[in-house]
Amino acid sequence: MNVVRGGRYRFELYRGPKHLKQASGCVHARLAVGGKEWSSDADPAQAAAVFEADLPAGPTRVETWLRPAEGKEHGAYFVWVTRL
């Protein structure tokens, strides 16, 4: 990912397409971006796990993980990033 303008960003991690608004079924989520990592419990009834991060301008790596109730962790299938 290339951060064109530094600032605060919202990351929404989805298991299914955002427009379907399906419950994710995930109980835990993690996000690693800009050399930092965040982790939180997730509400399986919600469509997305949401994180916010302050990022400097420039190239960076983004990694995501979702863990459904079944237990096997995988990456988010869809990630929406919004500059706040």
Side-chain angles (χ1 to χ4, degrees):
M1 171 179 168
N2 186 33
V3 180
V4 176
R5 290 186 344 187
R8 188 142 186 96
Y9 286 82
R10 175 182 294 125
F11 290 80
E12 299 172 55
L13 284 53
Y14 291 89
R15 193 170 180 195
K18 181 178 181 175
H19 69 278
L20 296 180
K21 300 178 184 173
Q22 295 174 324
S24 72
C26 294
V27 296
H28 194 78
R30 290 190 296 144
L31 169 72
V33 62
K36 298 179 183 175
E37 186 172 318
W38 296 267
S39 175
S40 75
D41 291 333
D43 181 351
Q46 295 297 313
V50 179
F51 295 92
E52 290 186 8
D54 293 311
L55 301 177
T60 190
R61 182 180 175 108
V62 176
E63 295 179 272
T64 65
W65 299 269
L66 294 172
R67 188 175 64 226
E70 306 88 67
K72 186 170 182 182
E73 192 172 64
H74 56 78
Y77 297 129
F78 301 90
V79 179
W80 284 78
V81 181
T82 306
R83 188 173 191 281
L84 301 176

